[in-house]
Amino acid sequence: MKRFFSTKSIAATLFAFAAVPALAAETWTGDATLADGGAPAYREIHYLFGDERLVVYTCPDGRAFARKTIHEGSDAQAPDFSMLDARWGYREGVRGNGKTREIFVQRAPDQAQKSAPLDLPPDGVIDAGFDAYVRRHWDALARGDALRFKFLVPSKRTFYAFDLSRVDADSDATRLTLRLALGAWYAFLAPHIDVTYDRSTRRLLRFAGMSNIRDEKLKNLDVRIEFPQAPVAATTEQVAAARNAPLATSCAAAGK
């Protein structure tokens, strides 16, 4: 949500709203449950402000354990991002390095960080840029076209070909469900991901498949994430608190 102020209006605006929190962002929440059994896995809280997004992942008891920052820059489909899961010390992301960009991953604090130059393919997608890709190709996907694109897998530091198409059995007049699957002969080795959008608002309603959150063996969790509420306004104070919240090193009950 971008805001534009003329130079003359900034001081007046700040003065006029000095007594109330400044609205700086939109926020929404997703609740993840394990696909096997439906037990609560974690909650993800999103904050969108300008071309930046902040995602905080919390344990079932509410303590934050992971955080991701996303910077769209000039390409919302292929943003820079950085994620840390404090439980395992796992880090991954894409960052600028002078005039170039690089992919990085660190599996544990006592292991060396590995990196590789980012060679962005045409129509390449990085992390939350998937949502931008869907929006850019909405009409084609809604009418049933199957699309192929390259999606970055940071842990492998490379892009893989994926196919994206409509799932007719789970789509209707109000919802559009899309299936993301590896687009190669080895596709049978990897499970697919289904995402459901509201047709009128194009808002993500549900995610089902392998998450970017991992277990203690650093295996991606198979989850179902529900996004029941539309985004609401958030304040600068809420964003600052989310950005600076200490990260728990375990999701076990506090004190254990």
Side-chain angles (χ1 to χ4, degrees):
M1 182 170 56
K2 297 184 177 179
R3 297 180 181 273
F4 299 92
F5 296 98
S6 69
T7 304
K8 293 181 180 179
S9 69
I10 293 177
T13 302
L14 292 177
F15 179 80
F17 291 97
V20 298
L23 296 180
E26 293 178 333
T27 183
W28 63 97
T29 300
D31 291 306
T33 55
L34 295 177
D36 182 12
Y42 60 88
R43 169 173 287 182
E44 51 183 65
I45 307 168
H46 296 248
Y47 298 88
L48 179 64
F49 43 103
D51 63 353
E52 297 184 30
R53 184 183 297 190
L54 171 68
V55 188
V56 176
Y57 302 84
T58 65
C59 306
D61 65 8
R63 292 177 298 142
F65 68 86
R67 183 161 36 234
K68 178 168 65 173
T69 56
I70 304 161
H71 301 272
E72 290 182 359
S74 60
D75 189 355
Q77 187 174 295
D80 283 354
F81 79 98
S82 178
M83 180 171 179
L84 166 65
D85 188 331
R87 297 172 304 165
W88 329 123
Y90 181 90
R91 298 176 182 269
E92 67 177 23
V94 171
R95 62 193 173 202
N97 185 12
K99 295 182 179 180
T100 63
R101 300 168 72 192
E102 64 180 13
I103 312 159
F104 66 91
V105 61
Q106 184 176 19
R107 298 182 68 83
D110 60 351
Q111 295 185 22
Q113 186 176 107
K114 298 180 180 180
S115 63
L118 175 71
D119 184 11
L120 184 65
D123 229 8
V125 175
I126 297 175
D127 197 71
F130 174 77
D131 196 54
Y133 180 88
V134 169
R135 292 174 185 273
R136 288 178 180 178
H137 299 276
W138 181 268
D139 291 341
L141 292 166
R143 67 173 172 256
D145 293 358
L147 304 180
R148 175 167 289 190
F149 63 93
K150 295 292 186 67
F151 195 89
L152 178 65
V153 179
S155 61
K156 303 298 183 181
R157 301 184 300 286
T158 192
F159 287 83
Y160 288 87
F162 280 82
D163 291 331
L164 183 65
S165 58
R166 187 180 68 197
V167 181
D168 291 338
D170 294 324
S171 299
D172 56 28
T174 62
R175 297 188 174 196
L176 174 65
T177 295
L178 304 172
R179 177 160 295 172
L180 180 69
L182 276 170
W185 65 267
Y186 48 79
F188 70 92
L189 296 174
H192 60 260
I193 292 172
D194 288 349
V195 287
T196 300
Y197 288 84
D198 181 287
R199 283 186 183 266
S200 62
T201 64
R202 303 185 183 182
R203 180 174 70 86
L204 180 64
L205 301 175
R206 177 182 301 138
F207 171 102
M210 290 297 174
S211 166
N212 61 340
I213 295 299
R214 294 166 167 80
D215 63 16
E216 66 277 5
K217 296 181 180 179
L218 298 186
K219 300 295 184 181
N220 298 78
L221 294 178
D222 188 3
V223 300
R224 176 172 172 147
I225 310 174
E226 300 284 349
F227 298 90
Q229 302 297 326
V232 297
T235 66
T236 53
E237 290 81 1
Q238 287 175 307
V239 174
R243 191 189 297 277
N244 298 315
L247 298 180
T249 57
S250 170
C251 272
K256 292 188 178 181

